Amino acid sequence: MPDIAALRKQAWDAFEQAGLPTTRQEEWKYTSLARIGSTLGEAWWTAADPASLDDADIEALAIPELDAWRVVFANGRLIRGATHLPDGLTLSPLSELLTGNAQQAAVALQWQDDAPLFNGTLAANSALAEDGLCLCLTDGVKLDKPVYMLHIAGNGGASHLRHGLWLGKNSEAHVIEHYAGVNEEPGLTHAVTLVHLGAGAHLYHDRLQDESPKHFHLGRLHATQGRDSMLSSHAVGLGASLSRLDLAVDLAAPGASCILNGLYMPTGRQHCDHHTQIDHSAPHCISREHYRGVLDGRAHGVFNGKVVVHQGASGTDSAQSNANLLLSDKAEVDAKPELVIHHDDVKAAHGCTVGQLDDKQLFYLKTRGMSDEEARQMLTFAFADSVLTGMRVPAVRRFIEKRAFSKLPLGADAEAMLG
Amino acid sequence: MLKIENLHASVDGKKILKGIDLTIKPGEVHAIMGPNGSGKSTLSNVIAGRDGYEVTAGSISFHGKDLLAMQPEERAWAGVFLAFQYPVEIPGVNNVYLLKAGVNARRRHLGLEELDAMEFMQLVREKARLVELDQAFLSRGVNEGFSGGEKKRNEIFQMAVLEPSLAILDETDSGLDIDALRVVAGGVNKLRSPERSIIMVTHYQRLLDYIEPDVVHVLADGKILKSGDRTLALELEKRGYDWVREEAAHA
Ligand SMILES: Nc1ncnc2c1ncn2[C@@H]1O[C@H](COP(=O)(O)OP(=O)(O)O)[C@@H](O)[C@H]1O
Ligand SMILES: [Mg+2]
């Protein structure tokens, strides 16, 4: 039996030794965590008080008209579980595993033989995570509705969450991670999700970060994909004062494929950083990545998309694009596609653009009678929405569109535009 | 209804229109012909209000109002429509949504009640039939993935929905095969009315076989060098533009 307390201590020591990443590190060049420390002080590490939320509070934040198994976390603790689960699906709270099933808890925290996961903030998460959701899906089970994880951050403090999604062979699931906030107190959400896809498994994963504007958000998703498995990920960053998402996918066995789509829309003084890495570790894997950013005010966006084609990864097929729309001349984006190829026989394309709205398109819309503002909104919306068209459940896409649109100057008209 | 006087316009300091005079009465169809680069699209764009063209002299009045003082959308509300020579693709903006926004913005402006979704769809279907536009195109993004001919047809369809009092068709005929040309011209003819004026910019006189103009103008080097009736177009077809230039130089 693993000794959880000892492992936690080990993780904490590893974190203390590594320290927080600094802007001197290439991976953190544009995102300084100093602001989190100076704003939160000790609260960085201190678990937030359990929040008391009633059903009405939850409904007000939840995605409406979504038929799903809903699991609710408040300030990093599970407060509502899901019932009526089908055979083959288990949803175990990490908090229970930590006291009741050390073996599984250790797997959820991935202590074993996985040194890289001890690095930096991830080690801190391993040491501090108190709760999370461990989803296990038996071989061949296909869920007919999504698992919806709603995270509500309130009254300050830190929420360190660790989720695990284990999909057995040829199983299929759709998981939605939604991060929302209820008040203006600065706090931190630090959420790590580890994903294992068995051979032939399909995971649709939507991640919406829509926390309140003073909050800090550090997110991470690590996926390891088995043979012929498929991951379809949509990551949307709308909220928080400073947010960083690290998304790493290892196409570890032949025939695995992933689609990574993302949208970030920082406004005001928001800072929003997406770092993605796709490892083509095995032959004949396919990756598609499309990220778009819409930046307004004095916002700062960062996109770094790394694709590594490892030796022996014959028949790799990878395409990546990143496009950014600057709505204000004070907004800024640091965008960098990074292609590292250690093998010949590969098909890889990537591109990155930063621009403004297209004058020709604006003029066209106006000659048809759209006002200048309306035309701008419409084009901005169309630009952003193009990365969401592959989303699986219309209720989720609709909700994200509305939330995204509400950040634009004419947001109130969103409903009319969405028709 | 439209009166252009001594219009001069430049792009990036380069003089393109060098004194255009043009008067169009309600219900008239005017053809503007001229060699490539003579300024036909520039004139169309200046009337529609495109940014980037500096009007250095002259005026345009439309229904007695100063058109140059108005924003492009205000011109649209006042009844100006431009069918583009190169219609842009706008992925993600739905064709019907665009037209509904346009029609209702104009109706608001005119103090009319907005059309509801049902009324609007009825209007749209009827107009699509007019230009034989497949209903499937309605729900697509504006010009998204349309062929050249489909784009031109879509422009005339939009014209039919928006019901302008002045329509400028900038080389709507180019890129159309003969069947498409017949359909598009048929649509335009159905839209002719005593209140609606049309400016047809074209290279080819063949369009004029289908849409009979009241006046034909030759635009070259930024000026209207000659105006005449339908027979002028036939002469241009036979003799080219140089004789018009020479005639103008000696006048
Ligand atoms: N946006 C622009 N920038 C620079 N030059 C332009 C622009 N638009 C038109 N021109 C120039 O103005 C002249 C007239 O062009 P245009 O009006 O398109 O002619 P036409 O439609 O008669 O072929 C051409 O020499 C063209 O190169
Ligand atoms: Mg032209």
Side-chain angles (χ1 to χ4, degrees), chain A residues 176-204:
Chain A
I176 301 154
E177 290 184 36
H178 177 191
Y179 295 86
V182 278
N183 72 14
E184 293 295 297
E185 282 291 299
L188 170 73
T189 298
H190 183 190
V192 175
T193 303
L194 303 179
V195 177
H196 279 272
L197 299 188
H202 285 198
L203 173 65
Y204 299 85

PDB file of all heavy atoms in Angstrom, chain A residues 176-204:
ATOM      1  N   ILE A 176     -17.225  17.296 -19.650  1.00  0.00           N
ATOM      2  CA  ILE A 176     -17.199  18.755 -19.719  1.00  0.00           C
ATOM      3  C   ILE A 176     -16.652  19.286 -18.395  1.00  0.00           C
ATOM      4  O   ILE A 176     -17.190  18.980 -17.336  1.00  0.00           O
ATOM      5  CB  ILE A 176     -18.622  19.311 -19.936  1.00  0.00           C
ATOM      6  CG1 ILE A 176     -19.214  18.747 -21.224  1.00  0.00           C
ATOM      7  CG2 ILE A 176     -18.597  20.842 -19.978  1.00  0.00           C
ATOM      8  CD1 ILE A 176     -20.728  18.706 -21.218  1.00  0.00           C
ATOM      9  N   GLU A 177     -15.565  20.022 -18.467  1.00  0.00           N
ATOM     10  CA  GLU A 177     -15.045  20.682 -17.269  1.00  0.00           C
ATOM     11  C   GLU A 177     -15.389  22.163 -17.372  1.00  0.00           C
ATOM     12  O   GLU A 177     -14.929  22.857 -18.271  1.00  0.00           O
ATOM     13  CB  GLU A 177     -13.520  20.540 -17.179  1.00  0.00           C
ATOM     14  CG  GLU A 177     -13.035  19.141 -16.886  1.00  0.00           C
ATOM     15  CD  GLU A 177     -11.505  19.100 -16.714  1.00  0.00           C
ATOM     16  OE1 GLU A 177     -10.928  20.055 -16.162  1.00  0.00           O
ATOM     17  OE2 GLU A 177     -10.906  18.109 -17.166  1.00  0.00           O
ATOM     18  N   HIS A 178     -16.194  22.604 -16.437  1.00  0.00           N
ATOM     19  CA  HIS A 178     -16.631  23.994 -16.470  1.00  0.00           C
ATOM     20  C   HIS A 178     -16.161  24.680 -15.189  1.00  0.00           C
ATOM     21  O   HIS A 178     -16.476  24.226 -14.095  1.00  0.00           O
ATOM     22  CB  HIS A 178     -18.170  24.016 -16.588  1.00  0.00           C
ATOM     23  CG  HIS A 178     -18.776  25.385 -16.561  1.00  0.00           C
ATOM     24  ND1 HIS A 178     -20.129  25.588 -16.425  1.00  0.00           N
ATOM     25  CD2 HIS A 178     -18.229  26.622 -16.670  1.00  0.00           C
ATOM     26  CE1 HIS A 178     -20.384  26.893 -16.440  1.00  0.00           C
ATOM     27  NE2 HIS A 178     -19.253  27.536 -16.582  1.00  0.00           N
ATOM     28  N   TYR A 179     -15.381  25.730 -15.326  1.00  0.00           N
ATOM     29  CA  TYR A 179     -14.865  26.471 -14.173  1.00  0.00           C
ATOM     30  C   TYR A 179     -15.555  27.823 -14.115  1.00  0.00           C
ATOM     31  O   TYR A 179     -15.397  28.641 -15.018  1.00  0.00           O
ATOM     32  CB  TYR A 179     -13.344  26.638 -14.281  1.00  0.00           C
ATOM     33  CG  TYR A 179     -12.640  25.300 -14.217  1.00  0.00           C
ATOM     34  CD1 TYR A 179     -12.451  24.531 -15.358  1.00  0.00           C
ATOM     35  CD2 TYR A 179     -12.245  24.773 -12.991  1.00  0.00           C
ATOM     36  CE1 TYR A 179     -11.859  23.278 -15.292  1.00  0.00           C
ATOM     37  CE2 TYR A 179     -11.646  23.517 -12.918  1.00  0.00           C
ATOM     38  CZ  TYR A 179     -11.455  22.778 -14.068  1.00  0.00           C
ATOM     39  OH  TYR A 179     -10.880  21.531 -13.992  1.00  0.00           O
ATOM     40  N   ALA A 180     -16.350  28.014 -13.066  1.00  0.00           N
ATOM     41  CA  ALA A 180     -17.094  29.264 -12.939  1.00  0.00           C
ATOM     42  C   ALA A 180     -16.778  29.888 -11.590  1.00  0.00           C
ATOM     43  O   ALA A 180     -16.178  29.256 -10.718  1.00  0.00           O
ATOM     44  CB  ALA A 180     -18.592  28.987 -13.058  1.00  0.00           C
ATOM     45  N   GLY A 181     -17.159  31.133 -11.432  1.00  0.00           N
ATOM     46  CA  GLY A 181     -16.876  31.798 -10.160  1.00  0.00           C
ATOM     47  C   GLY A 181     -18.065  32.596  -9.689  1.00  0.00           C
ATOM     48  O   GLY A 181     -18.901  33.000 -10.489  1.00  0.00           O
ATOM     49  N   VAL A 182     -18.139  32.787  -8.363  1.00  0.00           N
ATOM     50  CA  VAL A 182     -19.285  33.524  -7.859  1.00  0.00           C
ATOM     51  C   VAL A 182     -18.994  34.898  -7.293  1.00  0.00           C
ATOM     52  O   VAL A 182     -19.896  35.692  -7.146  1.00  0.00           O
ATOM     53  CB  VAL A 182     -20.073  32.745  -6.773  1.00  0.00           C
ATOM     54  CG1 VAL A 182     -21.019  31.769  -7.428  1.00  0.00           C
ATOM     55  CG2 VAL A 182     -19.152  32.079  -5.789  1.00  0.00           C
ATOM     56  N   ASN A 183     -17.785  35.175  -6.907  1.00  0.00           N
ATOM     57  CA  ASN A 183     -17.618  36.531  -6.364  1.00  0.00           C
ATOM     58  C   ASN A 183     -16.302  37.176  -6.749  1.00  0.00           C
ATOM     59  O   ASN A 183     -15.533  36.641  -7.525  1.00  0.00           O
ATOM     60  CB  ASN A 183     -17.883  36.566  -4.864  1.00  0.00           C
ATOM     61  CG  ASN A 183     -16.755  35.878  -4.109  1.00  0.00           C
ATOM     62  OD1 ASN A 183     -15.690  35.626  -4.666  1.00  0.00           O
ATOM     63  ND2 ASN A 183     -17.004  35.565  -2.855  1.00  0.00           N
ATOM     64  N   GLU A 184     -16.063  38.327  -6.192  1.00  0.00           N
ATOM     65  CA  GLU A 184     -14.964  39.158  -6.647  1.00  0.00           C
ATOM     66  C   GLU A 184     -13.680  38.961  -5.853  1.00  0.00           C
ATOM     67  O   GLU A 184     -12.683  39.586  -6.135  1.00  0.00           O
ATOM     68  CB  GLU A 184     -15.392  40.629  -6.563  1.00  0.00           C
ATOM     69  CG  GLU A 184     -16.501  40.994  -7.539  1.00  0.00           C
ATOM     70  CD  GLU A 184     -16.044  40.871  -8.988  1.00  0.00           C
ATOM     71  OE1 GLU A 184     -15.122  41.608  -9.365  1.00  0.00           O
ATOM     72  OE2 GLU A 184     -16.579  40.020  -9.711  1.00  0.00           O
ATOM     73  N   GLU A 185     -13.710  38.114  -4.833  1.00  0.00           N
ATOM     74  CA  GLU A 185     -12.499  37.859  -4.048  1.00  0.00           C
ATOM     75  C   GLU A 185     -11.460  37.156  -4.910  1.00  0.00           C
ATOM     76  O   GLU A 185     -11.768  36.164  -5.563  1.00  0.00           O
ATOM     77  CB  GLU A 185     -12.832  36.924  -2.879  1.00  0.00           C
ATOM     78  CG  GLU A 185     -13.517  37.583  -1.717  1.00  0.00           C
ATOM     79  CD  GLU A 185     -12.589  38.526  -0.989  1.00  0.00           C
ATOM     80  OE1 GLU A 185     -11.564  38.068  -0.464  1.00  0.00           O
ATOM     81  OE2 GLU A 185     -12.893  39.732  -0.974  1.00  0.00           O
ATOM     82  N   PRO A 186     -10.224  37.636  -4.890  1.00  0.00           N
ATOM     83  CA  PRO A 186      -9.221  36.896  -5.642  1.00  0.00           C
ATOM     84  C   PRO A 186      -8.948  35.542  -5.000  1.00  0.00           C
ATOM     85  O   PRO A 186      -8.910  35.423  -3.774  1.00  0.00           O
ATOM     86  CB  PRO A 186      -7.980  37.785  -5.594  1.00  0.00           C
ATOM     87  CG  PRO A 186      -8.224  38.777  -4.534  1.00  0.00           C
ATOM     88  CD  PRO A 186      -9.685  38.837  -4.248  1.00  0.00           C
ATOM     89  N   GLY A 187      -8.786  34.545  -5.805  1.00  0.00           N
ATOM     90  CA  GLY A 187      -8.471  33.207  -5.313  1.00  0.00           C
ATOM     91  C   GLY A 187      -7.781  32.458  -6.432  1.00  0.00           C
ATOM     92  O   GLY A 187      -7.513  33.022  -7.501  1.00  0.00           O
ATOM     93  N   LEU A 188      -7.472  31.206  -6.181  1.00  0.00           N
ATOM     94  CA  LEU A 188      -6.761  30.419  -7.188  1.00  0.00           C
ATOM     95  C   LEU A 188      -7.459  29.090  -7.435  1.00  0.00           C
ATOM     96  O   LEU A 188      -7.839  28.404  -6.496  1.00  0.00           O
ATOM     97  CB  LEU A 188      -5.327  30.135  -6.701  1.00  0.00           C
ATOM     98  CG  LEU A 188      -4.530  29.112  -7.527  1.00  0.00           C
ATOM     99  CD1 LEU A 188      -4.102  29.711  -8.863  1.00  0.00           C
ATOM    100  CD2 LEU A 188      -3.312  28.614  -6.759  1.00  0.00           C
ATOM    101  N   THR A 189      -7.622  28.771  -8.697  1.00  0.00           N
ATOM    102  CA  THR A 189      -8.022  27.416  -9.050  1.00  0.00           C
ATOM    103  C   THR A 189      -6.826  26.768  -9.728  1.00  0.00           C
ATOM    104  O   THR A 189      -6.219  27.358 -10.625  1.00  0.00           O
ATOM    105  CB  THR A 189      -9.211  27.416 -10.025  1.00  0.00           C
ATOM    106  OG1 THR A 189     -10.319  28.026  -9.384  1.00  0.00           O
ATOM    107  CG2 THR A 189      -9.581  25.998 -10.433  1.00  0.00           C
ATOM    108  N   HIS A 190      -6.493  25.597  -9.242  1.00  0.00           N
ATOM    109  CA  HIS A 190      -5.339  24.891  -9.780  1.00  0.00           C
ATOM    110  C   HIS A 190      -5.812  23.480 -10.075  1.00  0.00           C
ATOM    111  O   HIS A 190      -5.919  22.649  -9.183  1.00  0.00           O
ATOM    112  CB  HIS A 190      -4.220  24.912  -8.724  1.00  0.00           C
ATOM    113  CG  HIS A 190      -2.956  24.285  -9.198  1.00  0.00           C
ATOM    114  ND1 HIS A 190      -1.909  24.031  -8.359  1.00  0.00           N
ATOM    115  CD2 HIS A 190      -2.565  23.876 -10.412  1.00  0.00           C
ATOM    116  CE1 HIS A 190      -0.916  23.473  -9.051  1.00  0.00           C
ATOM    117  NE2 HIS A 190      -1.291  23.375 -10.293  1.00  0.00           N
ATOM    118  N   ALA A 191      -6.158  23.241 -11.322  1.00  0.00           N
ATOM    119  CA  ALA A 191      -6.850  21.991 -11.661  1.00  0.00           C
ATOM    120  C   ALA A 191      -6.050  21.186 -12.669  1.00  0.00           C
ATOM    121  O   ALA A 191      -5.670  21.691 -13.725  1.00  0.00           O
ATOM    122  CB  ALA A 191      -8.218  22.298 -12.238  1.00  0.00           C
ATOM    123  N   VAL A 192      -5.790  19.944 -12.318  1.00  0.00           N
ATOM    124  CA  VAL A 192      -5.026  19.055 -13.196  1.00  0.00           C
ATOM    125  C   VAL A 192      -5.895  17.854 -13.558  1.00  0.00           C
ATOM    126  O   VAL A 192      -6.515  17.249 -12.688  1.00  0.00           O
ATOM    127  CB  VAL A 192      -3.739  18.568 -12.496  1.00  0.00           C
ATOM    128  CG1 VAL A 192      -3.014  17.538 -13.362  1.00  0.00           C
ATOM    129  CG2 VAL A 192      -2.830  19.747 -12.178  1.00  0.00           C
ATOM    130  N   THR A 193      -5.941  17.560 -14.838  1.00  0.00           N
ATOM    131  CA  THR A 193      -6.701  16.396 -15.285  1.00  0.00           C
ATOM    132  C   THR A 193      -5.752  15.451 -16.019  1.00  0.00           C
ATOM    133  O   THR A 193      -5.053  15.871 -16.940  1.00  0.00           O
ATOM    134  CB  THR A 193      -7.828  16.829 -16.249  1.00  0.00           C
ATOM    135  OG1 THR A 193      -8.651  17.785 -15.580  1.00  0.00           O
ATOM    136  CG2 THR A 193      -8.670  15.638 -16.677  1.00  0.00           C
ATOM    137  N   LEU A 194      -5.733  14.215 -15.571  1.00  0.00           N
ATOM    138  CA  LEU A 194      -4.910  13.212 -16.251  1.00  0.00           C
ATOM    139  C   LEU A 194      -5.822  12.281 -17.030  1.00  0.00           C
ATOM    140  O   LEU A 194      -6.829  11.809 -16.509  1.00  0.00           O
ATOM    141  CB  LEU A 194      -4.106  12.399 -15.227  1.00  0.00           C
ATOM    142  CG  LEU A 194      -3.193  13.201 -14.294  1.00  0.00           C
ATOM    143  CD1 LEU A 194      -2.485  12.253 -13.324  1.00  0.00           C
ATOM    144  CD2 LEU A 194      -2.166  14.008 -15.078  1.00  0.00           C
ATOM    145  N   VAL A 195      -5.470  12.045 -18.263  1.00  0.00           N
ATOM    146  CA  VAL A 195      -6.340  11.251 -19.133  1.00  0.00           C
ATOM    147  C   VAL A 195      -5.574  10.048 -19.675  1.00  0.00           C
ATOM    148  O   VAL A 195      -4.447  10.198 -20.163  1.00  0.00           O
ATOM    149  CB  VAL A 195      -6.833  12.112 -20.328  1.00  0.00           C
ATOM    150  CG1 VAL A 195      -7.673  11.273 -21.288  1.00  0.00           C
ATOM    151  CG2 VAL A 195      -7.608  13.323 -19.844  1.00  0.00           C
ATOM    152  N   HIS A 196      -6.195   8.880 -19.583  1.00  0.00           N
ATOM    153  CA  HIS A 196      -5.646   7.680 -20.219  1.00  0.00           C
ATOM    154  C   HIS A 196      -6.686   7.119 -21.163  1.00  0.00           C
ATOM    155  O   HIS A 196      -7.778   6.774 -20.730  1.00  0.00           O
ATOM    156  CB  HIS A 196      -5.327   6.604 -19.181  1.00  0.00           C
ATOM    157  CG  HIS A 196      -4.033   6.833 -18.494  1.00  0.00           C
ATOM    158  ND1 HIS A 196      -2.839   6.368 -18.987  1.00  0.00           N
ATOM    159  CD2 HIS A 196      -3.744   7.504 -17.361  1.00  0.00           C
ATOM    160  CE1 HIS A 196      -1.864   6.736 -18.177  1.00  0.00           C
ATOM    161  NE2 HIS A 196      -2.386   7.434 -17.181  1.00  0.00           N
ATOM    162  N   LEU A 197      -6.350   7.047 -22.418  1.00  0.00           N
ATOM    163  CA  LEU A 197      -7.301   6.458 -23.360  1.00  0.00           C
ATOM    164  C   LEU A 197      -6.794   5.090 -23.780  1.00  0.00           C
ATOM    165  O   LEU A 197      -5.701   4.966 -24.357  1.00  0.00           O
ATOM    166  CB  LEU A 197      -7.465   7.344 -24.598  1.00  0.00           C
ATOM    167  CG  LEU A 197      -7.990   8.765 -24.351  1.00  0.00           C
ATOM    168  CD1 LEU A 197      -8.274   9.451 -25.678  1.00  0.00           C
ATOM    169  CD2 LEU A 197      -9.230   8.740 -23.480  1.00  0.00           C
ATOM    170  N   GLY A 198      -7.607   4.084 -23.493  1.00  0.00           N
ATOM    171  CA  GLY A 198      -7.259   2.733 -23.922  1.00  0.00           C
ATOM    172  C   GLY A 198      -7.395   2.609 -25.431  1.00  0.00           C
ATOM    173  O   GLY A 198      -7.872   3.528 -26.113  1.00  0.00           O
ATOM    174  N   ALA A 199      -6.984   1.471 -25.959  1.00  0.00           N
ATOM    175  CA  ALA A 199      -7.043   1.268 -27.404  1.00  0.00           C
ATOM    176  C   ALA A 199      -8.469   1.476 -27.906  1.00  0.00           C
ATOM    177  O   ALA A 199      -9.426   0.981 -27.318  1.00  0.00           O
ATOM    178  CB  ALA A 199      -6.577  -0.142 -27.742  1.00  0.00           C
ATOM    179  N   GLY A 200      -8.596   2.266 -28.946  1.00  0.00           N
ATOM    180  CA  GLY A 200      -9.900   2.466 -29.571  1.00  0.00           C
ATOM    181  C   GLY A 200     -10.859   3.334 -28.770  1.00  0.00           C
ATOM    182  O   GLY A 200     -12.010   3.517 -29.176  1.00  0.00           O
ATOM    183  N   ALA A 201     -10.430   3.872 -27.649  1.00  0.00           N
ATOM    184  CA  ALA A 201     -11.333   4.710 -26.839  1.00  0.00           C
ATOM    185  C   ALA A 201     -11.488   6.087 -27.473  1.00  0.00           C
ATOM    186  O   ALA A 201     -10.579   6.599 -28.131  1.00  0.00           O
ATOM    187  CB  ALA A 201     -10.800   4.839 -25.424  1.00  0.00           C
ATOM    188  N   HIS A 202     -12.670   6.681 -27.275  1.00  0.00           N
ATOM    189  CA  HIS A 202     -12.927   8.035 -27.770  1.00  0.00           C
ATOM    190  C   HIS A 202     -13.289   8.934 -26.600  1.00  0.00           C
ATOM    191  O   HIS A 202     -14.201   8.622 -25.844  1.00  0.00           O
ATOM    192  CB  HIS A 202     -14.110   8.051 -28.749  1.00  0.00           C
ATOM    193  CG  HIS A 202     -13.774   7.495 -30.094  1.00  0.00           C
ATOM    194  ND1 HIS A 202     -14.524   7.731 -31.213  1.00  0.00           N
ATOM    195  CD2 HIS A 202     -12.745   6.711 -30.502  1.00  0.00           C
ATOM    196  CE1 HIS A 202     -13.988   7.120 -32.252  1.00  0.00           C
ATOM    197  NE2 HIS A 202     -12.913   6.484 -31.848  1.00  0.00           N
ATOM    198  N   LEU A 203     -12.604  10.043 -26.492  1.00  0.00           N
ATOM    199  CA  LEU A 203     -12.985  11.013 -25.462  1.00  0.00           C
ATOM    200  C   LEU A 203     -13.245  12.369 -26.118  1.00  0.00           C
ATOM    201  O   LEU A 203     -12.399  12.901 -26.839  1.00  0.00           O
ATOM    202  CB  LEU A 203     -11.879  11.175 -24.410  1.00  0.00           C
ATOM    203  CG  LEU A 203     -12.124  12.298 -23.379  1.00  0.00           C
ATOM    204  CD1 LEU A 203     -13.355  11.999 -22.511  1.00  0.00           C
ATOM    205  CD2 LEU A 203     -10.891  12.506 -22.490  1.00  0.00           C
ATOM    206  N   TYR A 204     -14.439  12.893 -25.840  1.00  0.00           N
ATOM    207  CA  TYR A 204     -14.743  14.276 -26.214  1.00  0.00           C
ATOM    208  C   TYR A 204     -14.598  15.080 -24.943  1.00  0.00           C
ATOM    209  O   TYR A 204     -15.219  14.758 -23.922  1.00  0.00           O
ATOM    210  CB  TYR A 204     -16.169  14.387 -26.762  1.00  0.00           C
ATOM    211  CG  TYR A 204     -16.364  13.552 -28.003  1.00  0.00           C
ATOM    212  CD1 TYR A 204     -16.679  12.203 -27.912  1.00  0.00           C
ATOM    213  CD2 TYR A 204     -16.180  14.115 -29.263  1.00  0.00           C
ATOM    214  CE1 TYR A 204     -16.825  11.426 -29.044  1.00  0.00           C
ATOM    215  CE2 TYR A 204     -16.326  13.340 -30.410  1.00  0.00           C
ATOM    216  CZ  TYR A 204     -16.652  12.003 -30.284  1.00  0.00           C
ATOM    217  OH  TYR A 204     -16.786  11.237 -31.404  1.00  0.00           O
TER     218      TYR A 204
END
